[in-house]
């Protein structure tokens, strides 16, 4: 009971203190970091606990973001400006349902999950694993990025979708909306954390961890490991899609650069530095790295990427199990 009380108070402080202490800009920045923490959790579920490294999660993240962006854009313009520039005079049929928030929210999950099934079913059923899956996930990311850039009239091209009026009747720059979005993001992060924690304690959670450690033995025991992999990939994609939907109103834009290989690689780096196969590792890694990225890029933008590379190499050598993983191992050895 005491631990639960402490945890509840910690969450309350996490929500309340930044609202009163941070400026609107810093609060919005923290909201973005927490959104990235949700993406890192989705990566960790697939990589840290199932042993499947995906370098294509930027696509799932972006698809959730585009679904939300399409709704926000249609609330500000009946016909998006980039369509007018491309000579499109009527709203395309597949854009029309995005005028309605329930449909857009459904697509936030359905679009990334559908793509994950289209990717996962043929690959896992055919026995694709390891580095081969990683390479294919990169290729899919590249293909989707090129597709979205090329379809200027429907996706906004390389500029993406922006120019939103607001949400809930408030401007995106309104301090009240910034605080609302922060609270929503914290609640989603906490909810997803506990959902994943619960999943890992179920029989299915034990199976996916066993797939990471001894997949051959599981197959010998009669388990259809490919089905568990497909389900885990779909769940991971859904979580990434939710993060993408939260990202758009916070940042005010979604573009193909979000689904780039570079972005997907960054996601993995956050998990590796924070500590994969730990529940808090991805959250810690995403917040620390993005805070450092913001701080260093503001003061020394030309040297940031060198520091980023050094940080990743140093973390890999010094704390190969990540920050949280190393702390857990150290405390365990003391006991």
């Amino acid at each position: 009971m005491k631990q639960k009380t402490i945890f509840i108070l910690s969450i309350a402080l996490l929500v309340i203190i930044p609202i009163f202490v941070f400026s609107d800009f810093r609060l919005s920045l923290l909201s973005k970091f927490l959104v990235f923490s949700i993406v890192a959790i989705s990566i960790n579920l697939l990589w840290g606990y199932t042993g499947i490294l995906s370098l294509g999660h930027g696509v799932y993240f972006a698809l959730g973001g585009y679904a939300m962006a399409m709704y926000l854009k249609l609330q500000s313009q009946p016909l998006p400006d980039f369509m007018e520039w491309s000579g499109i005079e009527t709203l395309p049929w597949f854009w029309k349902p995005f005028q309605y928030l329930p449909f857009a929210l459904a697509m936030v999950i359905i679009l990334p999950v559908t793509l994950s099934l289209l990717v996962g079913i043929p690959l896992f059923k055919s026995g694709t694993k390891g580095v081969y899956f990683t390479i294919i996930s990169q290729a899919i990311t590249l293909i989707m990025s090129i597709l979205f850039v090329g379809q200027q009239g429907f996706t906004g091209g390389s500029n993406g979708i922006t120019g939103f009026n607001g949400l809930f009747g408030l401007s995106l720059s309104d301090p009240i909306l910034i605080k609302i979005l922060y609270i929503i993001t914290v609640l989603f992060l906490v909810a997803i954390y506990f959902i994943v924690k619960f999943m890992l304690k179920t029989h299915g959670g034990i199976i996916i961890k066993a797939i990471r450690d001894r997949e051959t033995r599981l197959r010998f025991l009669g388990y259809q490991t490919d089905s568990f992999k497909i389900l885990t990939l779909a769940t991971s994609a859904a979580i990434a899609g939710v993060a993408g939907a939260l990202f758009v109103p916070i940042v005010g834009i979604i573009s193909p650069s979000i689904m780039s290989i570079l972005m997907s690689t960054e996601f993995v780096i956050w998990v590796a530095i924070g500590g994969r196969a730990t529940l808090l590792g991805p959250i810690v890694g995403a917040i620390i790295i993005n805070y450092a990225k913001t701080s260093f890029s503001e003061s020394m933008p030309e040297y940031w990427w060198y520091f980023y590379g050094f940080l990743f190499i140093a973390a890999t050598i010094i704390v190969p199990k990540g920050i949280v993983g190393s702390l857990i191992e150290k405390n365990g050895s003391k006991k």
Side-chain angles (χ1 to χ4, degrees):
M1 181 63 71
K2 187 177 179 181
Q3 290 182 343
K4 288 184 178 180
T5 303
I6 293 173
F7 181 80
I8 292 171
L9 288 174
S10 300
I11 296 299
L13 290 174
L14 177 64
V15 174
I16 294 171
I17 291 178
I19 289 177
F20 292 102
V21 174
F22 290 5
S23 65
D24 292 337
F25 173 74
R26 294 298 172 185
L27 189 63
S28 182
L29 204 59
L30 179 57
S31 298
K32 186 173 76 169
F33 296 168
L34 296 182
V35 165
F36 286 153
S37 296
I38 295 174
V39 185
I41 289 174
S42 74
I43 292 281
N44 191 41
L45 177 63
L46 188 65
W47 181 35
Y49 287 102
T50 318
I52 302 170
L53 176 58
S54 168
L55 290 178
H57 260 55
V59 173
Y60 307 126
F61 178 74
L63 286 176
Y66 268 96
M68 178 56 71
M70 290 166 75
Y71 166 75
L72 294 175
K73 189 66 174 177
L74 291 178
Q75 301 310 299
S76 59
Q77 294 177 330
L79 184 67
D81 45 16
F82 56 82
M83 291 186 183
E84 294 179 359
W85 302 335
S86 301
I88 297 175
E89 298 180 354
T90 58
L91 192 66
W93 64 268
F94 58 86
W95 265 77
K96 291 181 179 179
F98 285 93
Q99 298 176 77
Y100 309 103
L101 183 58
F103 180 85
L105 293 177
M107 289 299 106
V108 163
I109 294 177
I110 291 174
L111 289 177
V113 167
T114 300
L115 179 61
S116 71
L117 293 176
L118 291 174
V119 171
I121 291 174
L123 290 182
F124 293 136
K125 289 292 184 182
S126 62
T128 304
K129 62 175 66 176
V131 68
Y132 301 105
F133 177 85
T134 304
I135 293 172
I136 293 172
S137 68
Q138 276 189 316
I140 292 170
T141 298
L142 183 60
I143 292 169
M144 293 295 290
S145 180
I146 293 172
L147 177 64
F148 272 67
V149 170
Q151 297 300 314
Q152 166 75 38
F154 301 123
T155 64
S158 58
N159 295 322
I161 304 176
T162 187
F164 314 124
N165 281 348
L167 184 65
F168 306 135
L170 300 170
S171 168
L172 293 185
S173 59
D174 191 309
I176 296 176
L177 183 60
I178 291 173
K179 292 177 175 63
I180 291 173
L181 290 174
Y182 170 73
I183 293 171
I184 291 173
T185 303
V186 171
L187 293 176
F188 266 97
L189 175 59
V190 172
I192 288 171
Y193 172 87
F194 279 107
I195 289 171
V196 172
K197 184 177 181 179
F198 171 77
M199 287 174 55
L200 293 172
K201 289 183 177 179
T202 63
H203 179 70
I206 295 171
I207 294 299
I208 65 171
K209 285 183 280 188
I211 289 173
R212 175 195 62 194
D213 300 330
R214 291 289 187 273
E215 183 178 359
T216 304
R217 183 175 295 179
L218 276 180
R219 284 187 172 276
F220 179 76
L221 292 173
Y223 284 96
Q224 297 293 325
T225 57
D226 50 358
S227 299
F228 285 94
K229 289 180 180 179
I230 293 167
L231 182 59
T232 306
L233 176 61
T235 304
S236 179
I239 295 172
V242 169
L246 292 169
F247 175 83
V248 170
I250 291 170
V251 179
I253 186 173
I254 188 72
S255 70
S257 63
I258 300 298
M259 64 174 70
S260 66
I261 293 175
L262 176 61
M263 195 70 186
S264 296
T265 305
E266 280 197 69
F267 293 163
V268 172
I269 290 174
W270 303 339
V271 176
I273 292 177
R276 67 190 183 104
T278 64
L279 288 169
L280 289 177
I283 299 174
V284 172
I287 293 175
I288 289 177
I289 298 304
N290 281 285
Y291 175 78
K293 179 179 180 180
T294 300
S295 301
F296 275 87
S297 61
E298 286 176 353
S299 57
M300 298 179 292
E302 65 275 19
Y303 298 113
W304 159 246
W305 288 107
Y306 295 103
F307 174 76
Y308 201 3
F310 170 77
L311 182 64
F312 179 58
I313 294 171
T316 303
I317 295 173
I318 299 171
V319 283
K321 293 188 177 181
I323 297 170
V324 175
S326 297
L327 289 174
I328 292 173
E329 185 180 48
K330 185 177 180 180
N331 291 333
S333 62
K334 286 182 178 180
K335 292 178 182 179

